[in-house]
DNA sequence: AAGTTGACTATTT
DNA sequence: AAAATAGCCAACT
């Protein structure tokens, strides 16, 4: 497949998002070594092949904590359903509490993990 | 090769 | 608080 190294980096970061957590496009881009290139993160996911099960694209949302609207309808509802299935809650306006579900990479280790788990 | 596009975001109505 | 505006930059045509 003809994937740019840029895409590969972004996909790698997305693949690292733990279950039940979400990340913003800007966050993914920054972690991929592309600060300020949030749009490219979204572009990379758009170009993502359908059989890429190892990339949890549904855990990437926009900075407002909402599922980004895309060209084809129906996907938004699906993404929301998938996140709910993982334990991510949405409020009445269909938004995720980023302060609670935002993924903090590399932070949880050993006993610190248990402490982070206590948030609620 | 130049112009358009977009699964974004911060700022301003 | 929600909607429109402006800035952004790589991929796509």
């Amino acid at each position: 497949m003809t994937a740019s190294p840029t895409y590969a980096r972004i996909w790698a970061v997305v693949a690292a998002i733990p279950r039940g957590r979400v990340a913003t496009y800007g966050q993914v881009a920054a972690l991929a070594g592309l600060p300020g290139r949030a749009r490219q993160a979204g572009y990379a996911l758009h170009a993502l092949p359908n059989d890429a099960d190892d990339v949890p694209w549904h855990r990437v949302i926009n900075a407002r904590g909402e599922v980004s609207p895309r060209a084809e309808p129906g996907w938004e509802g699906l993404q929301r359903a998938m996140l709910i299935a993982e334990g991510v809650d949405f409020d009445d306006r269909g938004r995720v509490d980023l302060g609670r579900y935002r993924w903090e990479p590399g932070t949880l280790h050993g006993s610190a993990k248990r402490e982070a788990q206590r948030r609620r």
Side-chain angles (χ1 to χ4, degrees), chain A residues 28-64:
Chain A
V28 169
L31 291 173
L34 307 165
R37 262 124 280 212
R39 307 187 78 154
Q40 262 45 48
Y43 212 60
L45 292 182
H46 185 234
L48 191 63
N50 301 326
D51 53 2
D53 321 4
D54 40 302
V55 181
W57 54 269
H58 60 274
R59 296 185 191 141
V60 184
I61 59 182
N62 63 31
R64 293 153 80 186

Side-chain angles (χ1 to χ4, degrees), chain A residues 97-109:
Chain A
D97 184 350
L98 283 177
R100 178 140 71 194
Y101 293 105
R102 178 179 240 251
W103 170 47
E104 293 165 36
T107 317
L108 342 113
H109 285 298

Side-chain angles (χ1 to χ4, degrees), chain A residues 70-80:
Chain A
R70 61 183 147 303
E72 334 225 338
W75 278 96
E76 189 169 327
L78 172 61
Q79 181 168 1
R80 194 177 69 241

